């Protein structure tokens, strides 16, 4: 009996070991196919133009259901890779390059018209890899544009970033394509990221003063005690409370979650002895990035719930049949906030997102108020007053 059991266990062990070895070799081979550079970095691909058209289609069709007035906003775009930046949907640029709005330093050179899938876009070369349009917004002449990496370059960039952070053996067999699918590889995921930056354009147009203040205060990141382990532990508890926003179905339940959140937030700040300036930093970054995160996730969720149909070319050439995966992604992002590794200001993306979900239950007009410059937590305090 013992020998039979031993043989069975050895058989299971060698079977599992074989499966692990096979999986590792498969992932190793798959990872070898990951691109090291953009295929034609001097051109904007047909795929990228289709993604842009679908993003415009989604914003025009669903944007108003996320934030009143968002659908009517015409969003210009600036995409970039390792070699060039491309301006799409922008009137002929008169000045060179772009301005890092709301900052004033200028980057890039002369814009040249080039053809992209039958459309005229403008291209300028990136001479310094440290001076790109970044993933935010830029200004060309008097036009504010959403800026983001091309989908192809985003995979290359984030793969390289993650590769250097992983242990030597794991980095070779890590399932990058699976990991990045819901973040950027699936067309609906990449389009959601574009919606995030497009919402920043909307914020900048609706309230330029608040937008400028909320972005320029990002310099306080160096002063914020992100390395304080006790503070980060308390932040996790705060996010754990906010996760409950996805489970409430009545105003009464939402009030209880909001009261608990505000209590835990106040205790965290007192425990860390945060200055008024650092608390202001939190609120402003939540206004800027947290609300944009809410818009990014909400637009996909609403598209899924409404069975919003992509453009025919998006279905035929991008393989985008619908936005159904975004509903589950919204739920997962909300329910796992406290378990996610929050690096620096990513905290404010999710704390702002969670507060927005709570306000949906508590204050129907909160979106107009936040665009006027009100802070999320102040609206929560007001919304639960008897």
């Amino acid at each position: 009996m013992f020998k039979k059991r031993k043989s069975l266990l050895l058989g299971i062990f060698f079977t599992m070991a074989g499966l692990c070895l096979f999986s590792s070799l498969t992932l190793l081979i798959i990872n070898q196919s990951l691109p090291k550079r953009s295929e034609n970095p001097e051109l904007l691909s047909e795929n990228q133009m289709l993604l842009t058209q679908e993003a415009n289609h989604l914003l025009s069709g669903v944007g108003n259901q996320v934030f009143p007035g968002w659908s009517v906003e015409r969003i210009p775009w600036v995409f970039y890779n390792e070699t060039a930046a491309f301006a799409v949907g922008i009137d002929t640029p008169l000045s060179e390059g772009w301005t890092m709005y709301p900052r004033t330093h200028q980057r890039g050179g002369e814009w040249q018209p080039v053809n992209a899938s039958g459309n005229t876009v403008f291209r300028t070369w990136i001479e310094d890899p440290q001076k790109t349009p970044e993933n935010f917004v830029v200004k060309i002449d008097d036009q504010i544009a959403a800026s983001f990496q091309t989908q192809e370059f985003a995979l290359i960039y984030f793969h390289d970033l993650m590769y250097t952070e992983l242990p030597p053996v794991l980095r070779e067999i890590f399932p990058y394509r699976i990991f990045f699918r819901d973040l950027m590889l699936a067309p609906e995921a990449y389009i959601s990221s574009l919606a995030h930056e497009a919402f920043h354009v909307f914020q900048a147009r609706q309230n330029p003063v608040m937008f400028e203040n909320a972005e320029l205060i990002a310099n306080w990141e160096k002063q914020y005690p992100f390395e304080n382990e006790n503070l980060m532990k308390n932040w996790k508890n705060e996010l754990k409370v906010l996760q409950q926003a996805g489970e409430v179905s009545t105003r009464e339940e939402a009030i209880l979650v909001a009261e608990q959140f505000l209590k835990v937030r106040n205790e965290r700040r007192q425990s860390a002895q945060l200055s008024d300036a650092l608390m202001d930093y939190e609120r402003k970054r939540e206004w800027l990035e947290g609300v944009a995160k809410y818009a990014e996730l909400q637009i996909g969720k609403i598209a899924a719930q409404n069975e919003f149909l992509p453009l025919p070319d998006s279905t035929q050439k991008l393989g985008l049949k619908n936005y159904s995966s975004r509903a589950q992604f919204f739920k997962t992002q909300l329910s796992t906030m406290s378990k996610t590794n929050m690096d620096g200001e990513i905290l404010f993306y999710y704390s702002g997102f969670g507060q927005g979900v709570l306000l949906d239950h508590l204050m129907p007009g909160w979106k107009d108020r936040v665009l006027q410059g009100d802070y999320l937590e102040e609206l929560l305090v007001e919304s639960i007053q008897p």
Side-chain angles (χ1 to χ4, degrees), residues 28 101 121 129 160 167 205 231 251 277 297 323 338 377:
L28 183 63
Y101 187 77
V121 304
D160 290 348
R205 290 173 176 172
L231 174 64
R251 174 176 170 79
L297 295 172
Y323 285 88
S338 66
E377 68 180 64

Side-chain angles (χ1 to χ4, degrees), residues 173-292:
I173 59 173
F174 186 83
Y176 295 102
R177 289 190 179 276
I178 296 174
F179 182 80
F180 288 138
R181 175 167 176 76
D182 282 340
L183 297 176
M184 71 185 76
L185 280 183
E188 63 271 30
Y190 180 79
I191 289 164
S192 294
S193 295
L194 295 186
H196 182 110
E197 309 309 341
F199 189 79
H200 284 319
V201 175
F202 183 56
Q203 287 174 307
R205 290 173 176 172
Q206 294 294 309
N207 195 333
V209 173
M210 183 62 178
F211 179 85
E212 179 176 350
N213 291 337
E215 171 57 16
L216 295 183
I217 204 173
N219 294 328
W220 276 88
E221 182 179 14
K222 297 177 182 178
Q223 309 299 322
Y224 196 84
F226 287 111
E227 72 287 347
N228 185 315
E229 293 184 6
N230 190 55
L231 174 64
M232 290 301 104
K233 179 181 177 181
N234 290 335
W235 255 113
K236 290 285 185 180
N237 292 333
E238 192 171 314
L239 293 176
K240 193 171 184 179
V241 174
L242 276 178
Q243 287 178 187
Q244 300 174 54
E247 302 168 6
V248 303
S249 57
T250 66
R251 174 176 170 79
E252 290 70 26
E253 291 173 345
I255 289 175
L256 292 176
V257 175
E259 288 176 340
Q260 186 182 5
F261 163 72
L262 293 168
K263 179 177 180 291
V264 171
R265 165 159 285 204
N266 185 54
E267 291 173 348
R268 169 182 62 78
R269 287 170 171 171
Q270 289 182 350
S271 175
Q273 298 182 334
L274 290 185
S275 65
D276 290 343
L278 288 178
M279 288 189 284
D280 189 52
Y281 163 68
E282 289 182 354
R283 297 184 189 103
K284 281 186 169 62
R285 298 306 285 171
E286 286 175 341
W287 183 93
L288 185 70
E289 295 294 358
V291 178

Side-chain angles (χ1 to χ4, degrees), residues 217-218 221 226 281 285 289 343-350:
I217 204 173
E221 182 179 14
F226 287 111
Y281 163 68
R285 298 306 285 171
E289 295 294 358
D343 183 18
E345 285 201 339
I346 295 299
L347 278 171
F348 309 137
Y349 287 59
Y350 285 90

Side-chain angles (χ1 to χ4, degrees), residues 317-371:
K317 297 181 180 180
L318 296 177
L320 176 58
K321 297 180 180 179
N322 55 56
Y323 285 88
S324 60
S325 67
R326 294 291 93 186
Q328 182 59 45
F329 189 68
F330 178 99
K331 184 178 180 180
T332 301
Q333 289 278 282
L334 186 58
S335 64
T336 61
M337 286 195 298
S338 66
K339 300 176 183 177
T340 304
N341 182 26
M342 298 291 180
D343 183 18
E345 285 201 339
I346 295 299
L347 278 171
F348 309 137
Y349 287 59
Y350 285 90
S351 60
F353 162 50
Q355 289 176 72
V357 175
L358 267 182
L359 284 166
D360 280 338
H361 294 280
L362 295 169
M363 183 182 282
W366 75 269
K367 293 173 181 178
D368 289 328
R369 293 279 301 277
V370 82
L371 286 176

